[in-house]
Amino acid sequence: MTRQLPRNAYYFFWSALFLYAFALKAQSPVEKFNAGLFDDASYLVYATKKKIPEDIRKQVLIALSFYPELKDTKLHFRFRKRTTPLTSRPRIFSIFRKKKNRAYVITISTKSKARLSPILFENLPYNAQIGVLGHELGHIAYYKTKNSFQILGLSFKILKPKFVDSFEFNTDKIAIDHGLGYQLYDWSVFVRKALNIREWKGASEDGITSKSQRYMNPITIQKYMDENPIYSKK
């Protein structure tokens, strides 16, 4: 039976990944992005080996600019009808390739259950779209650190709700450490209002972190931003 790592071990990993990313000169945190101020030429370097639908090119390239370690990663963004608003995974036939040669796909749902329709990507505010893309890119950054057998093992671990709680929570932490805390915060606030819920699974009333919290609440996101020095440089 596989024993789940303690939470502080995960935090060590995310912190190390954060330091690596910013050592490669990822973009500094920006509170609000404006679609009208987007300069495509400034982001072309992040489009290498990426297949991006034109409708979301701006949001994707901005999110990618916070993940310099993914600059040369093969990544396909696509629209499909799926229940889950967004999903990320390695391409099946590339799992057994060397890490640097793997390809990944991020699927963005165009139609879901009626209850989830308000939070489909197309219905999100611009800043929140960048935030949720940053979360998905956090998954890709995590997959890139794993060997083939570890990735296969994940397919079994995600059948366990407690593992999914930790997996998604720590992916939010990756996005925050990469500088996308403001965008993730906007996504978190919007989702809770759109679905008419105050908290998601496992959150305490005041929003403070709990072991079973799956996606960070706005208060939790703010807490991690307050503790991270990159957000104090504004």
Side-chain angles (χ1 to χ4, degrees):
M1 180 176 179
T2 302
R3 184 171 180 269
Q4 189 171 338
L5 290 174
R7 185 172 290 276
N8 60 352
Y10 282 108
Y11 286 170
F12 175 82
F13 168 75
W14 309 136
S15 298
L17 185 60
F18 151 69
L19 291 173
Y20 171 71
F22 275 87
L24 294 178
K25 299 183 179 179
Q27 186 170 176
S28 298
V30 175
E31 192 164 349
K32 290 283 183 183
F33 283 101
N34 186 329
L37 299 179
F38 181 83
D39 178 14
D40 190 80
S42 300
Y43 290 89
L44 283 179
V45 64
Y46 303 107
T48 304
K49 298 182 181 179
K50 309 297 187 294
K51 186 175 181 181
I52 307 169
E54 191 59 35
D55 290 350
I56 61 171
R57 180 178 175 83
K58 295 178 181 179
Q59 301 94 310
V60 168
L61 291 181
I62 289 172
L64 280 167
S65 72
F66 287 87
Y67 285 88
E69 69 268 40
L70 300 181
K71 186 171 68 70
D72 295 317
T73 300
K74 294 179 182 178
L75 187 50
H76 179 195
F77 295 82
R78 66 182 186 179
F79 293 112
R80 294 286 189 276
K81 293 181 181 179
R82 297 285 190 272
T83 299
T84 304
L86 287 93
T87 58
S88 307
R89 62 170 177 80
R91 284 198 174 280
I92 301 300
F93 295 109
S94 74
I95 289 177
F96 290 101
R97 294 177 183 171
K98 293 181 179 180
K99 293 177 182 179
K100 65 179 181 179
N101 295 327
R102 285 196 204 123
Y104 302 86
V105 59
I106 292 179
T107 302
I108 301 170
S109 178
T110 57
K111 188 175 182 179
S112 185
K113 297 178 180 179
R115 181 174 177 274
L116 295 179
S117 292
I119 63 170
L120 289 177
F121 188 84
E122 63 182 9
N123 296 325
L124 300 177
Y126 187 74
N127 219 43
Q129 289 180 336
I130 296 170
V132 74
L133 286 169
H135 174 93
E136 297 305 319
L137 291 174
H139 283 310
I140 304 301
Y142 175 82
Y143 295 145
K144 278 180 64 68
T145 68
K146 301 301 178 183
N147 63 40
S148 302
F149 294 103
Q150 288 172 324
I151 288 178
L152 288 174
L154 282 173
S155 64
F156 295 99
K157 289 183 178 180
I158 60 175
L159 298 175
K160 301 177 180 179
K162 286 187 178 181
F163 176 81
V164 177
D165 290 344
S166 178
F167 186 60
E168 296 296 349
F169 183 95
N170 286 301
T171 301
D172 277 350
K173 184 71 163 51
I174 292 177
I176 293 170
D177 285 347
H178 275 71
L180 287 166
Y182 295 112
Q183 288 65 42
L184 191 68
Y185 182 95
D186 284 356
W187 175 82
S188 184
V189 169
F190 179 86
V191 165
R192 283 156 178 78
K193 288 182 177 178
L195 297 182
N196 195 29
I197 54 175
R198 183 182 176 189
E199 309 290 358
W200 275 10
K201 180 180 181 294
S204 58
E205 286 301 313
D206 60 2
I208 300 302
T209 304
S210 67
K211 291 184 179 180
S212 61
Q213 186 176 343
R214 181 163 294 184
Y215 297 96
M216 288 189 188
N217 299 299
I219 294 175
T220 306
I221 294 171
Q222 187 63 58
K223 171 180 176 289
Y224 280 105
M225 289 171 63
D226 291 343
E227 294 174 352
N228 193 318
I230 66 171
Y231 295 94
S232 63
K233 296 178 181 180
K234 286 181 52 52

